[in-house]
């Protein structure tokens, strides 16, 4: 499957390759798309993380190069 770096849209929900749905809550664009970071919250339980280098496949699912700052809401 082909994949492309994207800048996610705030308040849009995306399906991860693992099947979980994540809502984008903020985006910090970078000069190069592979360096874009976005805050995502998993819809089912609120787990939040900062995703780095967000990729979207031709079927619409996403994944990222790595994540940091994963945490449960307070």
């Amino acid at each position: 499957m082909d994949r492309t770096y994207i800048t996610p849209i705030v308040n849009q929900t995306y399906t991860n390759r693992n099947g979980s749905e994540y809502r984008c809550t903020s985006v910090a664009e970078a000069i190069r798309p592979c360096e874009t970071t976005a805050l995502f919250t998993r819809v089912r339980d609120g787990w939040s993380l900062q995703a780095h280098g967000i990729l979207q496949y031709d079927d619409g699912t996403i994944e990222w190069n790595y994540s940091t700052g994963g945490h449960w809401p307070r």
Side-chain angles (χ1 to χ4, degrees):
M1 280 192 161
D2 290 332
R3 60 188 186 169
T4 305
Y5 283 106
I6 64 163
T7 300
I9 299 167
V10 174
N11 292 323
Q12 184 165 322
T13 300
Y14 295 88
T15 302
N16 187 278
R17 298 285 290 170
N18 67 14
S20 294
E21 291 188 325
Y22 289 84
R23 186 173 51 86
C24 176
T25 57
S26 69
V27 174
E29 292 187 55
I31 293 171
R32 297 185 309 169
C34 65
E35 296 173 350
T36 296
T37 61
L39 183 62
F40 283 97
T41 301
R42 192 166 48 206
V43 173
R44 73 174 168 185
D45 60 8
W47 177 256
S48 295
L49 57 86
Q50 188 78 29
H52 303 264
I54 301 95
L55 294 150
Q56 188 168 43
Y57 288 81
D58 54 5
D59 66 358
T61 59
I62 65 165
E63 65 182 1
W64 39 82
N65 291 335
Y66 65 98
S67 65
T68 57
H71 64 281
W72 298 105
R74 294 180 187 211

